Amino acid sequence: MNKVILLVEDNPSDEKLTVLAFRKCGVSNEVVVVRDGAEALDYLFATGTHAGRDASALPRVVLLDLNLAKIDGLEVLRRIRADDRTRHLPVVVLTSSRQEDDVLASYASGANAYIRKPVEFAEFAEAAKTLGLFWLLMNEPAPPPPAAGRAT
Amino acid sequence: MTRTTKAPSFDDILAVMSAASRGDRSARVALPDAPRPDDTATKIALTLNVLLDDLAPAVTDAKRAPAERGGVADREAAFADASLDLSASTGNRGRLLEEIACRLGKQLAELCTIRTVTDDGEWVVSSRAGYPPDAEVVALVHQGMLAARQRLGERVRAVLVSRQPPLVAKTDSIPERFDVASSLTIALGSGGKVLGVANLLRSSSDPAEVGLNPVQTGEGLLVSSVIRDITERKLAEEQRARLAAIVDCSGEAIIGKTLDGVVTSWNLGACRIFGYEAAEMVGQPLSLLIPEDRANEETAILDALAKGDGQRFDTVRRRKDGTLVDVSVTIAPLRDGAGRIVGISKVARDITERRLAEVALARAKEAAEAAARDLEAFSYSVAHDLRAPLRATNGFARLVVDRFADKLDADGKDWLEEILKNARKMDELIDALLALARVTRSELKLERVDLSAVVREAAARRRAAEPERIVELHVEDNLSAVIDVRLARALIENLIENAWKFTAKTPSPRIVFGKQDGPGGRAFFLGDNGAGFEMASVSRLFAPFQRLHTVSEFPGTGIGLATVQRIVRRHGGRVWAEGVPDAGATVYFTLPTQQLVTETGETQ
């Protein structure tokens, strides 16, 4: 079973820390990193630089930063929710912001969870552990939608 | 009326005239039972008595004895004879009329004119004199008087009837033109033939007016003249004059125009605003003022007005010098007594200054909004972009400590801990800065908040965070204020945190929350018995990043009280503090929004 984590993160330091936090707590799933909102959508829908990828192979969870280049995180989230293929894909907003506006807008746009990246690495590692445990092991993902054009 | 056998003398007549001119209208010249019509004094006396009868109030008329009414009939007969004699004695007529006119004019009126009609119907002013009317005319006078009183009320002083329409033309405009208050017109005739008319005019203090009404009867056209008190009309005229003065003094342009848009009146305000004099504009189309690009505006206005709709709008008009002026215009239809639209009134106000103020206000608002957007963007940037490097600094330092602990000596570990500690510190500063920015930015939602409860909740959170500390808490019950609830929590949280922190080294720490009512209104206070401060440095207390204690003594960001001050000021309140070193500090604050609600009696 594909247990890829899609990390949408434009900051290389944060990317490294996130991967290190997962490794530290024993989450060894493949982490696919995309750098901006447009690439995140390309990956999910197998378009652009990710054309040719099997679009039906969805990640187990998307970790989405809000402050992204090209297409911002909230818009990425809305497009994920607007598409039948990704409507039920678990998306966890993982961001520096603790502003109420951002939290509200994230939930309004269909986020499954909202996690603020703690500055303290120990806390961050703890958050990553909980997150991995829940979304990768405990959570039962939605069955894949009947893909159009595929023979049954 | 007194009767005598003797013919009246001129002295008798003069005495009655004097009395009448003093306002006594009841005196009459005594006449013999059988007056001799050929006697000049008798003729004048008869005329005078009739005049006085006509001028007397109705009540006198009604009270007059029936016998005296018979006397009126006698006199009427005498008038007829006198007329006949007079018309026959053409030789003396001019002199006689002049004498009568002189005396009547001098005593009873200010001006007495006699007009006679020539055989070919021309009216000429022949003399200043009076002559008694014929019996028929006298009867009509009395009828007319009664009818006029019924129609016009007590203001009617006399009614006179003549047979000839030319009378209307001759007398119609006299009272107006010469500022004459009252006029008495008496037809002079003989044997049914009108010879002329006597006109008595006065400008007394009791104004009257003459109305002339042609009445078609079986005998031909009769003209009745009604003498009416015009006090009310005079008052109305004065009022109209006052209104006209107000219209002229007005700073607004007040313009009358016809339904076709032709100017009929133009006040001084219109001169000032548009630069045209009244003489230049009256008779001209008002469209002269309309700039080319608004040419269709006038058509739309006229169309709407034709339907009876008034309008108010702001527009632009062109002055005489070609410059444009912003005006606020109110347009209304003018109606006649029957409700028909007969013209248009237009009131225009120069709103150039208002326009400029509006533009300035809009610019200021735009600038303020831009500043707010900048601040928003700045806060967001602080929240995200400043934290990311911090997270990397902290994260990688922590990873080094975790993974390479065995390869580091004591100094290396200590220095890495410094890095970690400072990263955490900066994280706190960012949080505090964001909180401060939020206090300034967020919209106030005022409601009544139980501050006592908020204090207890904040203290409970501190206790939960530091269960090992025992702090005595005294909170006065039911102290509420009208305040934004989120900011109230931030305000109290900051104060409690300070009090908690600065009593950390006090043996029996104590925190008190209460109120103090003074002439300036209610102040709330939160005091402690902690480290306190020197009053000399109180001015630095509320400034951001200013600290009165070293971080090693008491940790903190130096933003707490700055936040408190901003919250209080945003609610229009005042904040101040009192402190004694090593004895404690008390922070006072007022929330005037309190009164706002007490006055209206209800919270929002």
Side-chain angles (χ1 to χ4, degrees), chain A residues 11 14 17 20 24 96-99 102 116-121, chain B residues 380 384-385 387-388 391-392 394-395 398-399 402 424 427 431 441:
Chain A
N11 184 320
D14 271 353
L17 283 173
L20 282 165
K24 187 173 156 62
S96 308
S97 170
R98 204 161 50 177
Q99 282 181 301
D102 282 338
R116 187 199 164 219
K117 293 179 205 166
V119 165
E120 181 56 53
F121 184 74
Chain B
Y380 202 84
H384 289 83
D385 302 342
R387 252 198 259 272
R391 208 161 35 237
N394 180 292
R398 173 62 63 199
L399 283 164
D402 287 355
R424 275 197 299 273
D427 190 37
D431 276 346
R441 216 172 58 227

PDB file of all heavy atoms in Angstrom, chain A residues 11 14 17 20 24 96-99 102 116-121, chain B residues 380 384-385 387-388 391-392 394-395 398-399 402 424 427 431 441:
ATOM      1  N   ASN A  11      10.254  26.077   2.503  1.00  0.00           N
ATOM      2  CA  ASN A  11      11.469  26.402   3.244  1.00  0.00           C
ATOM      3  C   ASN A  11      12.305  25.128   3.436  1.00  0.00           C
ATOM      4  O   ASN A  11      11.884  24.192   4.116  1.00  0.00           O
ATOM      5  CB  ASN A  11      11.053  26.986   4.600  1.00  0.00           C
ATOM      6  CG  ASN A  11      12.248  27.450   5.409  1.00  0.00           C
ATOM      7  OD1 ASN A  11      13.288  26.799   5.432  1.00  0.00           O
ATOM      8  ND2 ASN A  11      12.078  28.579   6.068  1.00  0.00           N
ATOM      9  N   ASP A  14      12.861  23.993   7.032  1.00  0.00           N
ATOM     10  CA  ASP A  14      11.657  23.386   7.605  1.00  0.00           C
ATOM     11  C   ASP A  14      11.447  21.980   7.053  1.00  0.00           C
ATOM     12  O   ASP A  14      11.026  21.075   7.766  1.00  0.00           O
ATOM     13  CB  ASP A  14      10.422  24.253   7.304  1.00  0.00           C
ATOM     14  CG  ASP A  14      10.199  25.301   8.386  1.00  0.00           C
ATOM     15  OD1 ASP A  14      10.922  25.258   9.405  1.00  0.00           O
ATOM     16  OD2 ASP A  14       9.304  26.158   8.222  1.00  0.00           O
ATOM     17  N   LEU A  17      13.848  19.690   8.776  1.00  0.00           N
ATOM     18  CA  LEU A  17      13.439  19.482  10.169  1.00  0.00           C
ATOM     19  C   LEU A  17      12.233  18.544  10.236  1.00  0.00           C
ATOM     20  O   LEU A  17      12.150  17.684  11.111  1.00  0.00           O
ATOM     21  CB  LEU A  17      13.088  20.815  10.837  1.00  0.00           C
ATOM     22  CG  LEU A  17      14.274  21.695  11.255  1.00  0.00           C
ATOM     23  CD1 LEU A  17      13.780  23.042  11.737  1.00  0.00           C
ATOM     24  CD2 LEU A  17      15.090  21.008  12.351  1.00  0.00           C
ATOM     25  N   LEU A  20      13.383  15.084   9.514  1.00  0.00           N
ATOM     26  CA  LEU A  20      14.155  14.612  10.670  1.00  0.00           C
ATOM     27  C   LEU A  20      13.246  14.280  11.847  1.00  0.00           C
ATOM     28  O   LEU A  20      13.464  13.298  12.562  1.00  0.00           O
ATOM     29  CB  LEU A  20      15.187  15.664  11.082  1.00  0.00           C
ATOM     30  CG  LEU A  20      16.446  15.713  10.187  1.00  0.00           C
ATOM     31  CD1 LEU A  20      17.226  16.997  10.444  1.00  0.00           C
ATOM     32  CD2 LEU A  20      17.320  14.485  10.416  1.00  0.00           C
ATOM     33  N   LYS A  24      13.049  10.746  13.544  1.00  0.00           N
ATOM     34  CA  LYS A  24      13.400  10.663  14.955  1.00  0.00           C
ATOM     35  C   LYS A  24      12.381   9.841  15.740  1.00  0.00           C
ATOM     36  O   LYS A  24      12.714   9.092  16.642  1.00  0.00           O
ATOM     37  CB  LYS A  24      13.489  12.076  15.543  1.00  0.00           C
ATOM     38  CG  LYS A  24      14.009  12.147  16.978  1.00  0.00           C
ATOM     39  CD  LYS A  24      14.198  13.604  17.370  1.00  0.00           C
ATOM     40  CE  LYS A  24      14.145  13.841  18.856  1.00  0.00           C
ATOM     41  NZ  LYS A  24      15.180  13.157  19.635  1.00  0.00           N
ATOM     42  N   SER A  96       3.425  28.172  10.360  1.00  0.00           N
ATOM     43  CA  SER A  96       3.976  28.991  11.445  1.00  0.00           C
ATOM     44  C   SER A  96       2.889  29.827  12.097  1.00  0.00           C
ATOM     45  O   SER A  96       3.009  30.265  13.224  1.00  0.00           O
ATOM     46  CB  SER A  96       5.017  29.966  10.899  1.00  0.00           C
ATOM     47  OG  SER A  96       5.969  29.289  10.146  1.00  0.00           O
ATOM     48  N   SER A  97       1.847  30.088  11.348  1.00  0.00           N
ATOM     49  CA  SER A  97       0.842  31.045  11.810  1.00  0.00           C
ATOM     50  C   SER A  97      -0.052  30.464  12.896  1.00  0.00           C
ATOM     51  O   SER A  97      -0.468  29.315  12.836  1.00  0.00           O
ATOM     52  CB  SER A  97      -0.034  31.478  10.641  1.00  0.00           C
ATOM     53  OG  SER A  97      -1.132  32.207  11.131  1.00  0.00           O
ATOM     54  N   ARG A  98      -0.323  31.306  13.866  1.00  0.00           N
ATOM     55  CA  ARG A  98      -1.269  30.897  14.886  1.00  0.00           C
ATOM     56  C   ARG A  98      -2.450  31.868  14.865  1.00  0.00           C
ATOM     57  O   ARG A  98      -3.221  31.958  15.797  1.00  0.00           O
ATOM     58  CB  ARG A  98      -0.575  30.911  16.250  1.00  0.00           C
ATOM     59  CG  ARG A  98      -1.225  29.990  17.253  1.00  0.00           C
ATOM     60  CD  ARG A  98      -0.304  29.669  18.378  1.00  0.00           C
ATOM     61  NE  ARG A  98       0.303  30.871  18.963  1.00  0.00           N
ATOM     62  CZ  ARG A  98       1.121  30.834  20.013  1.00  0.00           C
ATOM     63  NH1 ARG A  98       1.430  29.693  20.570  1.00  0.00           N
ATOM     64  NH2 ARG A  98       1.635  31.930  20.487  1.00  0.00           N
ATOM     65  N   GLN A  99      -2.531  32.645  13.786  1.00  0.00           N
ATOM     66  CA  GLN A  99      -3.580  33.657  13.732  1.00  0.00           C
ATOM     67  C   GLN A  99      -4.942  33.008  13.508  1.00  0.00           C
ATOM     68  O   GLN A  99      -5.096  32.125  12.677  1.00  0.00           O
ATOM     69  CB  GLN A  99      -3.280  34.661  12.620  1.00  0.00           C
ATOM     70  CG  GLN A  99      -2.222  35.653  13.056  1.00  0.00           C
ATOM     71  CD  GLN A  99      -1.932  36.658  11.972  1.00  0.00           C
ATOM     72  OE1 GLN A  99      -1.542  36.276  10.875  1.00  0.00           O
ATOM     73  NE2 GLN A  99      -2.114  37.913  12.272  1.00  0.00           N
ATOM     74  N   ASP A 102      -6.266  32.575  10.010  1.00  0.00           N
ATOM     75  CA  ASP A 102      -5.723  31.476   9.222  1.00  0.00           C
ATOM     76  C   ASP A 102      -6.361  30.150   9.640  1.00  0.00           C
ATOM     77  O   ASP A 102      -6.663  29.312   8.793  1.00  0.00           O
ATOM     78  CB  ASP A 102      -4.203  31.404   9.406  1.00  0.00           C
ATOM     79  CG  ASP A 102      -3.494  32.465   8.576  1.00  0.00           C
ATOM     80  OD1 ASP A 102      -4.102  32.944   7.596  1.00  0.00           O
ATOM     81  OD2 ASP A 102      -2.353  32.816   8.914  1.00  0.00           O
ATOM     82  N   ARG A 116       0.273  24.024  14.358  1.00  0.00           N
ATOM     83  CA  ARG A 116       1.245  25.103  14.288  1.00  0.00           C
ATOM     84  C   ARG A 116       2.622  24.505  14.521  1.00  0.00           C
ATOM     85  O   ARG A 116       2.825  23.739  15.458  1.00  0.00           O
ATOM     86  CB  ARG A 116       0.923  26.130  15.363  1.00  0.00           C
ATOM     87  CG  ARG A 116       1.788  27.338  15.239  1.00  0.00           C
ATOM     88  CD  ARG A 116       1.808  28.127  16.532  1.00  0.00           C
ATOM     89  NE  ARG A 116       2.925  29.048  16.467  1.00  0.00           N
ATOM     90  CZ  ARG A 116       3.705  29.326  17.483  1.00  0.00           C
ATOM     91  NH1 ARG A 116       3.508  28.749  18.643  1.00  0.00           N
ATOM     92  NH2 ARG A 116       4.681  30.184  17.345  1.00  0.00           N
ATOM     93  N   LYS A 117       3.546  24.851  13.628  1.00  0.00           N
ATOM     94  CA  LYS A 117       4.908  24.342  13.782  1.00  0.00           C
ATOM     95  C   LYS A 117       5.520  24.989  15.016  1.00  0.00           C
ATOM     96  O   LYS A 117       5.701  26.204  15.049  1.00  0.00           O
ATOM     97  CB  LYS A 117       5.769  24.727  12.581  1.00  0.00           C
ATOM     98  CG  LYS A 117       5.386  24.090  11.273  1.00  0.00           C
ATOM     99  CD  LYS A 117       6.328  24.618  10.189  1.00  0.00           C
ATOM    100  CE  LYS A 117       5.688  24.555   8.824  1.00  0.00           C
ATOM    101  NZ  LYS A 117       6.425  25.350   7.839  1.00  0.00           N
ATOM    102  N   PRO A 118       5.860  24.199  16.030  1.00  0.00           N
ATOM    103  CA  PRO A 118       6.458  24.820  17.209  1.00  0.00           C
ATOM    104  C   PRO A 118       7.910  25.182  16.910  1.00  0.00           C
ATOM    105  O   PRO A 118       8.575  24.504  16.118  1.00  0.00           O
ATOM    106  CB  PRO A 118       6.399  23.714  18.273  1.00  0.00           C
ATOM    107  CG  PRO A 118       5.649  22.589  17.658  1.00  0.00           C
ATOM    108  CD  PRO A 118       5.694  22.757  16.179  1.00  0.00           C
ATOM    109  N   VAL A 119       8.411  26.231  17.530  1.00  0.00           N
ATOM    110  CA  VAL A 119       9.807  26.619  17.350  1.00  0.00           C
ATOM    111  C   VAL A 119      10.708  25.601  18.049  1.00  0.00           C
ATOM    112  O   VAL A 119      11.759  25.224  17.546  1.00  0.00           O
ATOM    113  CB  VAL A 119      10.034  28.046  17.900  1.00  0.00           C
ATOM    114  CG1 VAL A 119      11.514  28.328  18.071  1.00  0.00           C
ATOM    115  CG2 VAL A 119       9.401  29.059  16.955  1.00  0.00           C
ATOM    116  N   GLU A 120      10.258  25.136  19.177  1.00  0.00           N
ATOM    117  CA  GLU A 120      11.049  24.175  19.946  1.00  0.00           C
ATOM    118  C   GLU A 120      11.021  22.813  19.247  1.00  0.00           C
ATOM    119  O   GLU A 120       9.952  22.236  19.046  1.00  0.00           O
ATOM    120  CB  GLU A 120      10.466  24.082  21.365  1.00  0.00           C
ATOM    121  CG  GLU A 120      11.179  23.140  22.292  1.00  0.00           C
ATOM    122  CD  GLU A 120      12.663  23.473  22.422  1.00  0.00           C
ATOM    123  OE1 GLU A 120      12.967  24.647  22.739  1.00  0.00           O
ATOM    124  OE2 GLU A 120      13.502  22.584  22.191  1.00  0.00           O
ATOM    125  N   PHE A 121      12.206  22.353  18.878  1.00  0.00           N
ATOM    126  CA  PHE A 121      12.267  21.133  18.077  1.00  0.00           C
ATOM    127  C   PHE A 121      11.668  19.923  18.801  1.00  0.00           C
ATOM    128  O   PHE A 121      11.027  19.070  18.186  1.00  0.00           O
ATOM    129  CB  PHE A 121      13.707  20.832  17.660  1.00  0.00           C
ATOM    130  CG  PHE A 121      13.811  19.639  16.764  1.00  0.00           C
ATOM    131  CD1 PHE A 121      13.402  19.716  15.438  1.00  0.00           C
ATOM    132  CD2 PHE A 121      14.262  18.409  17.250  1.00  0.00           C
ATOM    133  CE1 PHE A 121      13.471  18.606  14.609  1.00  0.00           C
ATOM    134  CE2 PHE A 121      14.321  17.285  16.419  1.00  0.00           C
ATOM    135  CZ  PHE A 121      13.932  17.397  15.091  1.00  0.00           C
TER     136      PHE A 121
ATOM    137  N   TYR B 380       1.771  39.660   9.441  1.00  0.00           N
ATOM    138  CA  TYR B 380       1.738  38.326   8.874  1.00  0.00           C
ATOM    139  C   TYR B 380       3.156  37.856   8.572  1.00  0.00           C
ATOM    140  O   TYR B 380       3.528  36.720   8.841  1.00  0.00           O
ATOM    141  CB  TYR B 380       0.896  38.335   7.591  1.00  0.00           C
ATOM    142  CG  TYR B 380       0.368  36.975   7.234  1.00  0.00           C
ATOM    143  CD1 TYR B 380      -0.816  36.524   7.828  1.00  0.00           C
ATOM    144  CD2 TYR B 380       1.037  36.147   6.357  1.00  0.00           C
ATOM    145  CE1 TYR B 380      -1.308  35.269   7.527  1.00  0.00           C
ATOM    146  CE2 TYR B 380       0.550  34.900   6.053  1.00  0.00           C
ATOM    147  CZ  TYR B 380      -0.625  34.457   6.638  1.00  0.00           C
ATOM    148  OH  TYR B 380      -1.107  33.218   6.348  1.00  0.00           O
ATOM    149  N   HIS B 384       5.114  34.621  10.139  1.00  0.00           N
ATOM    150  CA  HIS B 384       5.591  33.481   9.363  1.00  0.00           C
ATOM    151  C   HIS B 384       7.091  33.510   9.110  1.00  0.00           C
ATOM    152  O   HIS B 384       7.796  32.566   9.402  1.00  0.00           O
ATOM    153  CB  HIS B 384       4.869  33.426   8.016  1.00  0.00           C
ATOM    154  CG  HIS B 384       3.446  33.039   8.154  1.00  0.00           C
ATOM    155  ND1 HIS B 384       2.465  33.943   8.479  1.00  0.00           N
ATOM    156  CD2 HIS B 384       2.837  31.837   8.049  1.00  0.00           C
ATOM    157  CE1 HIS B 384       1.312  33.325   8.549  1.00  0.00           C
ATOM    158  NE2 HIS B 384       1.503  32.039   8.301  1.00  0.00           N
ATOM    159  N   ASP B 385       7.518  34.622   8.547  1.00  0.00           N
ATOM    160  CA  ASP B 385       8.876  34.640   8.028  1.00  0.00           C
ATOM    161  C   ASP B 385       9.928  34.737   9.120  1.00  0.00           C
ATOM    162  O   ASP B 385      11.017  34.208   8.978  1.00  0.00           O
ATOM    163  CB  ASP B 385       9.029  35.792   7.028  1.00  0.00           C
ATOM    164  CG  ASP B 385       8.032  35.648   5.888  1.00  0.00           C
ATOM    165  OD1 ASP B 385       7.508  34.525   5.720  1.00  0.00           O
ATOM    166  OD2 ASP B 385       7.768  36.634   5.184  1.00  0.00           O
ATOM    167  N   ARG B 387       9.627  33.483  12.075  1.00  0.00           N
ATOM    168  CA  ARG B 387       9.628  32.256  12.863  1.00  0.00           C
ATOM    169  C   ARG B 387      10.379  31.111  12.179  1.00  0.00           C
ATOM    170  O   ARG B 387      10.966  30.265  12.849  1.00  0.00           O
ATOM    171  CB  ARG B 387       8.206  31.817  13.174  1.00  0.00           C
ATOM    172  CG  ARG B 387       7.870  32.048  14.624  1.00  0.00           C
ATOM    173  CD  ARG B 387       6.680  31.253  15.021  1.00  0.00           C
ATOM    174  NE  ARG B 387       5.482  32.069  15.054  1.00  0.00           N
ATOM    175  CZ  ARG B 387       5.101  32.740  16.124  1.00  0.00           C
ATOM    176  NH1 ARG B 387       5.814  32.709  17.209  1.00  0.00           N
ATOM    177  NH2 ARG B 387       4.008  33.452  16.108  1.00  0.00           N
ATOM    178  N   ALA B 388      10.345  31.114  10.848  1.00  0.00           N
ATOM    179  CA  ALA B 388      10.968  29.997  10.129  1.00  0.00           C
ATOM    180  C   ALA B 388      12.463  29.876  10.440  1.00  0.00           C
ATOM    181  O   ALA B 388      12.926  28.795  10.820  1.00  0.00           O
ATOM    182  CB  ALA B 388      10.697  30.137   8.643  1.00  0.00           C
ATOM    183  N   ARG B 391      12.948  28.627  13.876  1.00  0.00           N
ATOM    184  CA  ARG B 391      12.681  27.211  14.020  1.00  0.00           C
ATOM    185  C   ARG B 391      13.899  26.404  13.558  1.00  0.00           C
ATOM    186  O   ARG B 391      14.284  25.422  14.185  1.00  0.00           O
ATOM    187  CB  ARG B 391      11.461  26.849  13.175  1.00  0.00           C
ATOM    188  CG  ARG B 391      10.709  25.675  13.718  1.00  0.00           C
ATOM    189  CD  ARG B 391       9.303  25.619  13.174  1.00  0.00           C
ATOM    190  NE  ARG B 391       9.210  26.071  11.791  1.00  0.00           N
ATOM    191  CZ  ARG B 391       8.437  27.060  11.382  1.00  0.00           C
ATOM    192  NH1 ARG B 391       7.672  27.708  12.242  1.00  0.00           N
ATOM    193  NH2 ARG B 391       8.405  27.411  10.123  1.00  0.00           N
ATOM    194  N   ALA B 392      14.526  26.850  12.476  1.00  0.00           N
ATOM    195  CA  ALA B 392      15.717  26.156  11.968  1.00  0.00           C
ATOM    196  C   ALA B 392      16.852  26.256  12.988  1.00  0.00           C
ATOM    197  O   ALA B 392      17.505  25.263  13.309  1.00  0.00           O
ATOM    198  CB  ALA B 392      16.131  26.770  10.632  1.00  0.00           C
ATOM    199  N   ASN B 394      16.722  26.776  16.214  1.00  0.00           N
ATOM    200  CA  ASN B 394      16.416  25.968  17.384  1.00  0.00           C
ATOM    201  C   ASN B 394      16.494  24.478  17.054  1.00  0.00           C
ATOM    202  O   ASN B 394      17.117  23.697  17.777  1.00  0.00           O
ATOM    203  CB  ASN B 394      15.023  26.343  17.901  1.00  0.00           C
ATOM    204  CG  ASN B 394      14.631  25.541  19.124  1.00  0.00           C
ATOM    205  OD1 ASN B 394      14.421  24.326  19.019  1.00  0.00           O
ATOM    206  ND2 ASN B 394      14.539  26.190  20.276  1.00  0.00           N
ATOM    207  N   GLY B 395      15.886  24.131  15.909  1.00  0.00           N
ATOM    208  CA  GLY B 395      15.772  22.720  15.542  1.00  0.00           C
ATOM    209  C   GLY B 395      17.140  22.068  15.345  1.00  0.00           C
ATOM    210  O   GLY B 395      17.421  21.009  15.906  1.00  0.00           O
ATOM    211  N   ARG B 398      19.126  21.807  18.508  1.00  0.00           N
ATOM    212  CA  ARG B 398      18.614  20.705  19.317  1.00  0.00           C
ATOM    213  C   ARG B 398      19.117  19.354  18.774  1.00  0.00           C
ATOM    214  O   ARG B 398      19.529  18.469  19.531  1.00  0.00           O
ATOM    215  CB  ARG B 398      17.081  20.737  19.320  1.00  0.00           C
ATOM    216  CG  ARG B 398      16.400  19.552  19.989  1.00  0.00           C
ATOM    217  CD  ARG B 398      16.740  19.429  21.453  1.00  0.00           C
ATOM    218  NE  ARG B 398      16.270  20.574  22.230  1.00  0.00           N
ATOM    219  CZ  ARG B 398      16.743  20.902  23.441  1.00  0.00           C
ATOM    220  NH1 ARG B 398      17.705  20.180  23.988  1.00  0.00           N
ATOM    221  NH2 ARG B 398      16.275  21.942  24.080  1.00  0.00           N
ATOM    222  N   LEU B 399      19.122  19.228  17.421  1.00  0.00           N
ATOM    223  CA  LEU B 399      19.584  17.987  16.806  1.00  0.00           C
ATOM    224  C   LEU B 399      21.057  17.727  17.128  1.00  0.00           C
ATOM    225  O   LEU B 399      21.466  16.602  17.401  1.00  0.00           O
ATOM    226  CB  LEU B 399      19.367  18.044  15.286  1.00  0.00           C
ATOM    227  CG  LEU B 399      17.915  17.803  14.856  1.00  0.00           C
ATOM    228  CD1 LEU B 399      17.696  18.248  13.414  1.00  0.00           C
ATOM    229  CD2 LEU B 399      17.553  16.321  15.015  1.00  0.00           C
ATOM    230  N   ASP B 402      21.236  16.602  20.670  1.00  0.00           N
ATOM    231  CA  ASP B 402      20.737  15.239  20.827  1.00  0.00           C
ATOM    232  C   ASP B 402      21.723  14.194  20.274  1.00  0.00           C
ATOM    233  O   ASP B 402      22.012  13.192  20.910  1.00  0.00           O
ATOM    234  CB  ASP B 402      19.384  15.079  20.118  1.00  0.00           C
ATOM    235  CG  ASP B 402      18.279  15.783  20.875  1.00  0.00           C
ATOM    236  OD1 ASP B 402      18.571  16.297  21.979  1.00  0.00           O
ATOM    237  OD2 ASP B 402      17.138  15.833  20.365  1.00  0.00           O
ATOM    238  N   ARG B 424      14.096  30.492  21.727  1.00  0.00           N
ATOM    239  CA  ARG B 424      12.805  30.460  22.437  1.00  0.00           C
ATOM    240  C   ARG B 424      12.375  31.867  22.829  1.00  0.00           C
ATOM    241  O   ARG B 424      11.222  32.248  22.698  1.00  0.00           O
ATOM    242  CB  ARG B 424      12.920  29.595  23.700  1.00  0.00           C
ATOM    243  CG  ARG B 424      12.709  28.119  23.480  1.00  0.00           C
ATOM    244  CD  ARG B 424      12.429  27.411  24.799  1.00  0.00           C
ATOM    245  NE  ARG B 424      13.536  27.539  25.738  1.00  0.00           N
ATOM    246  CZ  ARG B 424      14.595  26.695  25.770  1.00  0.00           C
ATOM    247  NH1 ARG B 424      14.673  25.687  24.918  1.00  0.00           N
ATOM    248  NH2 ARG B 424      15.565  26.872  26.642  1.00  0.00           N
ATOM    249  N   ASP B 427      11.030  33.719  20.005  1.00  0.00           N
ATOM    250  CA  ASP B 427       9.693  33.221  19.689  1.00  0.00           C
ATOM    251  C   ASP B 427       8.647  33.916  20.570  1.00  0.00           C
ATOM    252  O   ASP B 427       7.589  34.337  20.099  1.00  0.00           O
ATOM    253  CB  ASP B 427       9.666  31.707  19.911  1.00  0.00           C
ATOM    254  CG  ASP B 427       8.389  31.090  19.368  1.00  0.00           C
ATOM    255  OD1 ASP B 427       7.909  31.552  18.306  1.00  0.00           O
ATOM    256  OD2 ASP B 427       7.864  30.149  19.999  1.00  0.00           O
ATOM    257  N   ASP B 431       5.515  36.481  19.528  1.00  0.00           N
ATOM    258  CA  ASP B 431       4.138  36.315  20.010  1.00  0.00           C
ATOM    259  C   ASP B 431       3.619  37.598  20.645  1.00  0.00           C
ATOM    260  O   ASP B 431       2.502  38.044  20.387  1.00  0.00           O
ATOM    261  CB  ASP B 431       4.084  35.188  21.050  1.00  0.00           C
ATOM    262  CG  ASP B 431       3.968  33.831  20.381  1.00  0.00           C
ATOM    263  OD1 ASP B 431       3.669  33.802  19.170  1.00  0.00           O
ATOM    264  OD2 ASP B 431       4.173  32.810  21.068  1.00  0.00           O
ATOM    265  N   ARG B 441      -5.196  46.634  16.068  1.00  0.00           N
ATOM    266  CA  ARG B 441      -5.816  46.421  14.783  1.00  0.00           C
ATOM    267  C   ARG B 441      -7.267  45.961  14.851  1.00  0.00           C
ATOM    268  O   ARG B 441      -8.117  46.412  14.109  1.00  0.00           O
ATOM    269  CB  ARG B 441      -5.000  45.348  14.058  1.00  0.00           C
ATOM    270  CG  ARG B 441      -4.891  45.548  12.583  1.00  0.00           C
ATOM    271  CD  ARG B 441      -3.911  44.546  12.013  1.00  0.00           C
ATOM    272  NE  ARG B 441      -4.309  43.192  12.296  1.00  0.00           N
ATOM    273  CZ  ARG B 441      -3.484  42.268  12.759  1.00  0.00           C
ATOM    274  NH1 ARG B 441      -2.244  42.561  13.024  1.00  0.00           N
ATOM    275  NH2 ARG B 441      -3.897  41.051  12.966  1.00  0.00           N
TER     276      ARG B 441
END
